[in-house]
């Protein structure tokens, strides 16, 4: 059974500027540390703070929050790309992250080959992908184009291909980041059907989006992130209402519950 | 979609370091495919394709073989095989290190978008270099026809020797890769050092000739080459490929460095494995 258990996790990014990401400075910093005690201080961005989550098989969670609230970072934390700098994150089950449809695509090789590679990246075996290639080809409606190098494709055609592969796999934990645009409306309707199927097959879904409609389609609970902290967690409709009524202008920082600053 | 066995993200642990290596190894289909892809990519739309690897190696070795045979006054049938094998082996060693420095930096997008053990990228690198090596062996095969070497059963020592090169290339790429991701000055430094070591290592110049030089100064200088670890890496494989006798000391040095190198790399992997995705 897929499950996600996060306890008081935080993700801190060191921001190395040209000065600190250099061996010379690190060496000199040790030698001459006294002269400039602050010179070796690395700026740290707290992307996530005090995140506690308990998601079980069957959860359909929508991540809500404005740009920079930490949605993508949280998805990467859940996928295991970032291990928390504080607290713990325990993830059980095969994770399929769908963050950027373009990553792992090679413009010089054919559509068919890209289907196989993309699948391997998502943790499928070659054999599994060979079985699915026909189905994906039908779905993408790309026909003989699949024999041509990917660089001859339009943006929309690439998105079709990527969506076709992504929606053909069987993940236990599906992590979706928005940005699935650039397709014509007809195709999107078709893709939405497949997306829903995929979500049904997956044991657990976490979906970050700005689109209330898509969120209502795919999720039942919501998490509102603000400044890297969970502002609210509950049934999707309640969270969406609260989020949409948050008032205009710059919002106040939530009380720092356990978070340092 | 790596199968994560209830990973407690207590990032700095030996278990997770070894787990990274083991899971990376199991994703052979992925890095095996990508390694091939890298090679095919480079020669896409060219008529001869990856055969260009073989051809350019042959051209370099023949040209330099003729040149240095003349310069040093050596016989061509001695100088050319020596240079050729030196080049083939150095291509593997040098590229494993210089490309190792970029192994995570160059894969930033993959690392930030797909959860995979970081060792996958190193496996891909070593596999790619092994394929290059394989293509270059064709030149060696042709050379054996033109300039036959006194090969014997003992020449099979080249096989474990190459295995050792792979094992060492792996830790070197992983180690340099992790440190380079944090300190971006390291890649250019690595390129310079590898370039320098190419000249310090007996590849175009024949080590034993200089050792036995009648000029005492040259002979003394040449002996310093023993301090160069790359000499030993080269000799464990070049000697059998030239049908020369087995020299235990080269193997001992290589084995000791292998153990020390892996020990150091494992410590770095344990402590900084989880930081790579933050640093890239």
């Amino acid at each position: 059974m897929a499950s996600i258990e996060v306890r008081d996790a935080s993700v801190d990014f060191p921001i190395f500027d040209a000065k600190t990401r250099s061996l010379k400075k690190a060496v000199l910093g040790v030698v001459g540390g006294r002269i400039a005690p602050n010179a070796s201080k690395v700026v740290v961005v707290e992307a996530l703070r005090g995140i506690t989550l308990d998601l079980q098989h069957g959860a359909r969670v929508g991540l809500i929050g404005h740009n920079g609230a930490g949605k993508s970072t949280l998805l990467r934390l859940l996928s295991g790309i970032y291990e928390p700098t504080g607290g713990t994150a325990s993830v059980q089950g095969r994770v399929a992250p769908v963050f950027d449809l373009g990553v792992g695509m090679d413009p010089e090789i054919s559509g068919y080959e890209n289907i196989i590679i993309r699948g391997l990246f998502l943790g499928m075996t070659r054999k599994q992908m060979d079985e699915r290639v026909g189905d994906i080809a039908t779905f993408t409606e790309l026909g003989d184009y699949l024999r041509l190098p990917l660089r001859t494709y339009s943006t929309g055609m690439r998105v079709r291909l990527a969506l076709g592969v992504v929606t053909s796999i069987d993940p236990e934990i599906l992590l979706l980041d928005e940005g699935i645009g650039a397709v014509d409306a007809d195709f999107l309707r078709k893709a939405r059907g497949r997306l829903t199927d995929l979500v049904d097959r997956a044991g657990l879904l976490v979906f970050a989006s700005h689109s209330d409609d898509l969120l209502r389609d795919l999720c039942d609970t919501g998490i509102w992130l603000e400044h890297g902290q969970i502002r609210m967690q509950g049934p999707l409709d309640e969270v969406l209402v609260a989020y949409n009524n948050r008032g205009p202008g710059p919002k106040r920082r939530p009380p720092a519950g356990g978070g340092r600053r | 979609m790596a199968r994560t066995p209830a990973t407690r993200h207590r990032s700095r642990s030996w278990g997770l370091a070894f787990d990274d290596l083991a899971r990376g190894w199991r994703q052979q289909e992925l890095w095996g495919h990508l390694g091939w892809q890298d090679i095919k990519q480079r020669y896409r739309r060219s008529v001869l394709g990856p055969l260009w690897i073989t051809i350019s190696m042959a051209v370099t070795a023949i040209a330099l073989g003729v040149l240095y045979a003349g310069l040093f006054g050596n016989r061509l049938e001695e100088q050319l095989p020596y240079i050729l094998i030196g080049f083939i082996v150095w291509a593997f060693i040098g590229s494993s290190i210089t490309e190792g420095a970029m192994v995570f930096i160059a894969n930033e997008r993959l690392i930030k978008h797909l959860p995979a053990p970081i060792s996958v990228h190193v496996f891909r690198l070593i596999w790619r270099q092994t394929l290059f090596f394989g293509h270059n062996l064709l030149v060696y095969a042709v050379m054996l026809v033109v300039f036959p070497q006194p090969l014997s059963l003992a020449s099979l020592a080249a096989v474990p020797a190459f295995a050792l090169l792979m094992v060492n290339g792996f830790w070197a790429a992983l180690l340099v890769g992790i440190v380079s991701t944090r300190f971006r000055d390291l890649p250019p430094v690595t390129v310079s050092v590898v370039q320098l070591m190419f000249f310090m290592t007996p590849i175009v110049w024949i080590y034993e000739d200089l050792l036995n030089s009648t000029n005492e100064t040259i002979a003394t200088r040449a002996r310093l080459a023993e301090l160069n670890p790359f000499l030993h890496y080269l000799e464990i494989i070049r000697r059998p490929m030239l049908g020369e006798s087995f020299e235990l000391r080269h193997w001992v040095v290589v084995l000791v460095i292998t153990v020390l190198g892996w020990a150091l790399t494992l410590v770095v992997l344990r402590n900084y494995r989880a930081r790579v995705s933050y640093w890239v």
Side-chain angles (χ1 to χ4, degrees):
Chain A
M1 278 294 178
S3 72
I4 292 177
E5 197 188 304
V6 181
R7 290 276 166 270
D8 195 28
S10 57
V11 170
D12 295 346
F13 285 102
I15 306 298
F16 305 111
D17 53 37
K19 283 173 195 148
T20 48
R21 205 198 281 242
S22 131
L23 196 60
K24 183 183 83 184
K25 290 287 171 180
V27 174
L28 295 183
V30 172
V31 178
R34 281 177 178 281
I35 302 169
N38 290 325
S40 65
K41 280 267 171 66
V42 178
V43 180
V44 171
V45 170
E46 294 177 320
L48 292 176
R49 274 179 296 158
I51 300 288
T52 296
L53 271 180
D54 218 328
L55 304 178
Q56 296 301 324
H57 186 92
R60 303 276 178 266
V61 184
L63 290 184
I64 303 156
H66 57 85
N67 293 326
K71 299 189 296 292
S72 299
T73 310
L74 179 56
L75 284 178
R76 285 182 191 168
L77 175 76
L78 298 180
S79 72
I81 291 172
Y82 295 140
E83 296 180 17
T85 41
T88 59
S90 152
V91 177
Q92 255 177 315
R94 273 175 311 151
V95 178
V98 183
F99 301 156
D100 183 332
L101 294 172
V103 170
M105 290 290 200
D106 188 334
E108 289 300 322
I109 60 178
S110 72
Y112 274 120
E113 284 176 275
N114 264 302
I115 290 178
I116 304 280
I117 292 200
R118 180 80 196 183
L120 289 176
F121 268 126
L122 289 169
M124 309 292 284
T125 65
R126 231 206 129 85
K127 215 175 127 216
Q128 286 172 318
M129 285 320 290
D130 282 337
E131 286 163 8
R132 285 165 166 80
V133 118
D135 170 51
I136 296 167
T138 323
F139 165 73
T140 56
E141 296 172 349
L142 285 171
D144 285 341
Y145 257 104
L146 285 176
R147 283 180 230 285
L148 295 182
L150 195 74
R151 67 187 147 79
T152 62
Y153 290 28
S154 69
T155 315
M157 287 158 81
R158 287 181 197 208
V159 175
R160 282 173 181 232
L161 187 78
L163 264 182
V165 180
V166 159
T167 50
S168 73
I169 57 174
D170 300 312
E172 288 171 327
I173 298 174
L174 181 63
L175 305 173
L176 275 180
D177 205 344
E178 63 180 355
I180 309 167
V183 250
D184 50 90
D186 256 3
F187 186 79
L188 195 63
R189 258 193 298 283
K190 211 171 127 188
R192 205 183 265 210
R194 258 176 94 98
L195 216 52
T196 323
D197 284 350
L198 171 69
V199 167
D200 289 342
R201 284 202 305 276
L204 207 163
L205 168 78
V206 183
F207 178 39
S209 176
H210 287 294
S211 155
D212 290 5
D213 287 349
L214 264 178
L215 283 166
R216 287 206 173 88
D217 267 9
L218 300 175
C219 310
D220 49 26
T221 54
I223 291 176
W224 173 7
L225 280 177
E226 197 169 83
H227 303 298
Q229 288 179 309
I230 294 180
R231 168 90 178 258
M232 186 180 171
Q233 188 171 1
L236 181 70
D237 283 329
E238 287 175 28
V239 178
L240 274 179
V241 167
Y243 177 69
N244 291 330
N245 295 333
R246 69 194 183 280
K251 294 155 293 294
R252 273 178 304 129
R253 233 164 221 299
R260 301 149 287 131
R261 193 60 208 163
Chain B
M1 204 155 72
R3 187 163 275 283
T4 19
T7 340
R8 275 257 136 187
H9 286 317
R10 287 280 176 217
S11 302
R12 289 191 179 189
S13 87
W14 290 110
L16 287 177
F18 285 112
D19 185 58
D20 189 286
L21 292 171
R23 285 192 297 131
W25 171 250
R26 282 200 296 273
Q27 296 203 339
Q28 285 155 18
E29 266 187 334
L30 180 60
W31 51 258
H33 197 98
L34 290 172
W36 262 118
Q37 199 68 56
D38 290 338
I39 290 202
K40 284 196 281 182
Q41 181 78 291
R42 206 167 300 193
Y43 300 95
R44 192 158 294 271
R45 291 167 73 184
S46 77
V47 179
L48 293 178
L51 210 57
W52 276 115
I53 303 168
T54 316
I55 295 169
S56 61
M57 177 58 76
V59 169
T60 316
I62 291 170
L64 290 183
V66 172
L67 173 68
Y68 281 93
L71 281 181
F72 291 133
N74 292 331
R75 292 176 313 146
L76 187 63
E77 57 266 43
E78 186 196 354
Q79 183 79 47
L80 189 96
Y82 190 87
I83 283 197
L84 175 65
I85 298 172
F87 262 90
I88 294 179
V89 175
W90 187 259
F92 183 89
I93 297 177
S95 311
S96 297
I97 300 173
T98 50
E99 290 181 25
M102 297 301 293
V103 71
F104 301 123
I105 300 171
N107 286 308
E108 175 188 351
R109 270 165 66 80
L110 285 180
I111 291 173
K112 283 198 174 162
H113 285 91
L114 297 160
I118 63 168
S119 61
V120 162
H121 306 284
V122 184
F123 279 115
R124 171 186 183 177
L125 166 63
I126 297 300
W127 172 235
R128 178 172 69 237
Q129 292 308 328
T130 305
L131 291 172
F132 274 122
F133 186 84
H135 281 89
N136 287 331
L137 277 187
L138 284 179
V139 190
Y140 173 71
V142 173
M143 182 213 83
L144 282 182
V145 177
V146 184
F147 300 116
Q149 302 296 318
L151 296 185
S152 65
L153 266 184
S155 302
L156 287 176
V159 177
F162 184 68
L164 271 174
L165 286 188
M166 291 166 85
V167 168
N168 280 278
F170 194 97
W171 73 252
L174 183 55
L175 179 66
V176 179
I178 293 178
V179 182
S180 294
T181 309
R182 173 66 181 82
F183 298 102
R184 298 300 169 99
D185 290 300
L186 210 58
V189 170
T190 311
V191 171
S192 305
V193 170
V194 168
Q195 182 110 55
L196 181 66
M197 292 320 287
F198 170 80
F199 293 108
M200 307 270 280
T201 309
I203 295 165
V204 291
W205 47 278
I206 299 180
Y207 179 48
E208 289 191 344
D209 283 4
L210 295 191
L211 269 189
N212 303 329
S213 170
T214 44
N215 185 331
E216 193 52 42
T217 330
I218 293 180
T220 323
R221 287 274 174 86
R223 224 162 282 136
L224 286 176
E226 289 286 329
L227 296 175
N228 172 3
F230 292 105
L231 167 90
H232 304 283
Y233 281 95
L234 199 56
E235 288 290 58
I236 57 166
I237 184 159
R238 183 169 54 195
R239 293 188 71 89
M241 284 174 84
L242 287 171
E244 292 175 352
S245 62
F246 181 83
E247 282 277 356
L248 183 65
R249 77 171 188 291
H250 299 309
W251 289 82
V252 172
V253 172
V254 168
L255 284 171
V256 169
I257 298 179
T258 307
V259 172
L260 294 179
W262 265 105
L264 175 64
T265 305
L266 283 172
V267 172
V268 171
L269 182 67
R270 170 189 181 272
N271 288 347
Y272 301 110
R273 176 192 53 80
R275 300 304 293 161
V276 168
S277 58
Y278 284 81
W279 287 342
V280 287

